[in-house]
Amino acid sequence: MLGPLQPLVDMVTSPLFLMIVLFPGLTSIAIIGALLGWLERKVTARVQLRIGPLYASPAGGILQMFADLIKLSFKELFVPENSDAFFFIMAPTTGLVIGAALVGLIPFAPGLQIANIEVGLPAFLAIITLSPSLVLLAGWSANSKFPFIGGLRALFQQTAYEIPLWLSALGVIMMAGTLNLAQIVAAQSTGWFIIPQALGAFIFLVTSVAEMERLPFDLPEAESEIMMGWQAEYPGVLFLAAQGPGFVKLYAFSALFTTIYLGGFLGPSLLPPLFWMLSKTLVVIVLIMLLRSTFPRVRLDQLLRAGWTTLLTLAIVNIGITYLLVVGLPTF
Amino acid sequence: MVAQGIPEIGAYIGFLFVSTVALIIVLRLLITPRDPRPTPEKKKPFESGQIAVGPGRTRFIIQYYPYLLMFVVYDVIAMFLFAWGLNLRALGEAGSLPVLVFIIVLLIPLGYALHLANHRENW
């Protein structure tokens, strides 16, 4: 019927292409990331008894981030002198790719998952491990003092949260007996893991907030101390590319938290699974945003000490509790 | 063809959105305003409004170095627990004692390393 264009039309309408381009892929990530920027401003404003964005649309400034996007993308693009231009531009754009890759691993509904791989949960945590290295690279390449300090802080911060993050995820793996995220959701059909894994969920939430570099753990970009840290030198559209991964990671981590602790897309069948998945994710996102607007920033030595003592001990205690729940008292 | 409830028109909308964004980026690079005569200060690194002093990539005190050393060791070791945790239901009690010994053997040097790390004069 369409002749030579038929293969192209087949590709554009294939399910995988739809998922990658539309949902849960690139288009939805861009739109949701921008909407989260608006939501964050509104939630913070509500907590601090302000109004927040108001004028950018009839519906309470919901288009504010899109207006910012247009403004930033039409600013002059220049690279500061003596900086390493390749790494300076490469680091934030690669950060965007990493954030989008995370969303591809999440099962949003039965079958609505871009990459259903056997090692979904470790793959998610392994991909996210790359992002502090990119922050360090961005800070180093800018040839400026504030970005350099911010990059080093990101490096130290990673050592504080990384091991408790992995060990708290181990509790879920022990309960489910699988690394596949879709099968972890299926294992929760008898009960959500947040009840037996309450301690693990708490550690996972705290460490994932530290991983996302959000308040109270936003040391690498601490606005009031080191002037946006590693993002200080980024102009216009590159600043957008440096800010974007933060919101994409917030979305991806909240979706992962929902998947492994809150039963993912499971819920009463009067509404579609996608609705349950997205509404639970939204609740987790708002919770993380409330942490941002209520807690002050910790110091780096406090974070390191808490990560290596309190969080690590609690993670090992959580493994012990999970062992008792799964196997029972050992007899040796 | 319908994929998981997404109608075919959705593919075209998504394709249109992505290509519009690409078009905007290309247009933006073509029509962007360029500063014909940038001042010398413009491309200097940011230093709170002052003239930048010294190089940006200076020698920097790695203040929490012991934690980095501990991380290099313990991040790898923590991965070994995953092989055990994944097969816990199949193993049952079989692997418990070695893993318990493993965790205890891990924690004793970790405690000593933390004790040393908290004393500034050691590093």
Side-chain angles (χ1 to χ4, degrees), chain A residues 73 75 145 175 233 323, chain B residues 28 42 46 53 89 96:
Chain A
S73 63
K75 285 197 168 191
K145 294 186 188 77
M175 295 287 291
E233 295 289 343
Y323 179 84
Chain B
R28 182 234 162 275
K42 182 173 176 179
F46 171 79
V53 179
R89 282 186 194 276
S96 318

Side-chain angles (χ1 to χ4, degrees), chain A residues 23 53 82 89 126-127 142 170 176 198 204 206 217 238 242 262:
Chain A
F23 185 87
N82 292 333
I89 295 171
I127 293 172
L170 178 59
F204 189 88
V206 170
F217 307 112
L238 281 178
L262 298 179

Side-chain angles (χ1 to χ4, degrees), chain A residues 323 332, chain B residues 84 91-100:
Chain A
Y323 179 84
F332 293 129
Chain B
W84 165 74
L91 285 173
E93 285 186 22
S96 318
L97 195 60
V99 168
L100 191 66

Side-chain angles (χ1 to χ4, degrees), chain A residues 7-242:
Chain A
L8 187 69
V9 173
D10 284 347
M11 189 199 79
V12 167
T13 54
S14 71
L16 191 63
F17 188 85
L18 276 172
M19 282 199 276
I20 291 173
V21 171
L22 194 67
F23 185 87
L26 301 170
T27 311
S28 70
I29 292 173
I31 293 173
I32 288 174
L35 287 180
L36 287 183
W38 167 79
L39 183 67
E40 167 145 46
R41 292 187 187 185
K42 272 294 192 194
V43 168
T44 314
R46 192 56 58 88
V47 172
Q48 296 168 348
L49 303 179
R50 293 184 287 115
I51 296 171
L54 187 62
Y55 296 111
S57 81
I62 199 165
L63 296 177
Q64 181 65 46
M65 286 306 275
F66 295 96
D68 284 356
L69 201 145
I70 294 167
K71 181 197 77 173
L72 281 172
S73 63
F74 279 90
K75 285 197 168 191
E76 189 189 347
L77 189 63
F78 69 97
V79 176
E81 64 178 9
N82 292 333
S83 64
D84 192 323
F86 176 73
F87 288 124
F88 188 72
I89 295 171
M90 182 273 263
T93 40
T94 315
L96 274 176
V97 174
I98 286 175
L102 298 174
V103 180
L105 295 166
I106 304 288
F108 281 88
L112 196 60
Q113 184 182 13
I114 293 173
N116 184 8
I117 57 177
E118 280 306 308
V119 289
L121 183 51
F124 188 101
L125 298 177
I127 293 172
I128 203 72
T129 309
L130 295 172
S131 88
S133 317
L134 286 174
V135 171
L136 180 63
L137 201 55
W140 177 82
S141 65
N143 189 29
S144 178
K145 294 186 188 77
F146 291 116
F148 187 55
I149 295 171
L152 282 175
R153 283 185 177 195
L155 186 68
F156 287 118
Q157 187 167 333
Q158 185 184 19
T159 68
Y161 66 72
E162 190 78 13
I163 297 172
L165 179 66
W166 282 82
L167 291 184
S168 60
L170 178 59
V172 172
I173 292 168
M174 287 162 77
M175 295 287 291
T178 174
L179 302 172
N180 184 316
L181 285 170
Q183 287 172 20
I184 288 176
V185 173
Q188 294 178 74
S189 53
T190 50
W192 294 358
F193 283 163
I194 194 164
I195 298 158
Q197 289 289 315
L199 186 58
F202 170 73
I203 301 164
F204 189 88
L205 191 68
V206 170
T207 48
S208 59
V209 170
E211 155 56 48
M212 287 182 274
E213 289 160 11
R214 300 177 64 79
L215 268 167
F217 307 112
D218 71 333
L219 295 159
E221 53 188 86
E223 273 177 80
S224 49
E225 294 172 24
I226 52 171
M227 282 306 304
M228 298 306 286
W230 65 280
Q231 302 173 355
E233 295 289 343
Y234 280 109
V237 72
L238 281 178
F239 180 69
L240 198 68

